[in-house]
Amino acid sequence: MMGANRDPNIFDDPDRFRIDRPLNQAKRHLSFGYGVHFCLGAPIARLEAQISLRKLVEQLPDLRLTGTPERIDSWIYWGQRELPVAWD
């Protein structure tokens, strides 16, 4: 399902991770499936992400990107191989 969330007709700059996407675009993301195929674990996964991101920002408020992320790009997996960060 790697291509489903990379439709340029729906997502501006679909190959780039953007946490600040408009809500109307973010809601069309298909990572948790759709309809009868919707993931039952989606609500807990979203809650876990919300809590862990909040804690990360609280513990490391000066966290910043220090280089260019290295992507893994294959036909079965898409993500980050390396995300260089630092904090003070």
Side-chain angles (χ1 to χ4, degrees):
M1 188 115 119
M2 185 173 84
N5 295 316
R6 296 170 71 186
D7 184 346
N9 294 323
I10 296 174
F11 301 104
D12 298 329
D13 199 6
D15 290 329
R16 185 169 167 227
F17 174 73
R18 288 194 35 226
I19 201 163
D20 63 338
R21 287 195 190 276
L23 188 57
N24 66 335
Q25 283 185 7
K27 284 185 174 183
R28 297 183 75 184
H29 202 272
L30 298 175
S31 289
F32 290 121
Y34 183 76
V36 297
H37 299 287
F38 188 73
C39 175
L40 293 175
I44 190 72
R46 287 187 174 122
L47 181 61
E48 289 171 344
Q50 185 180 40
I51 291 168
S52 50
L53 288 173
R54 184 181 307 124
K55 288 293 184 187
L56 180 68
V57 171
E58 287 172 4
Q59 296 293 318
L60 302 170
D62 297 322
L63 185 66
R64 65 189 181 285
L65 193 61
T66 60
T68 304
E70 182 184 335
R71 271 185 29 189
I72 296 172
D73 202 359
S74 76
W75 68 278
I76 58 170
Y77 180 76
W78 184 85
Q80 302 298 324
R81 178 184 312 275
E82 188 173 299
L83 186 64
V85 297
W87 61 92
D88 300 321

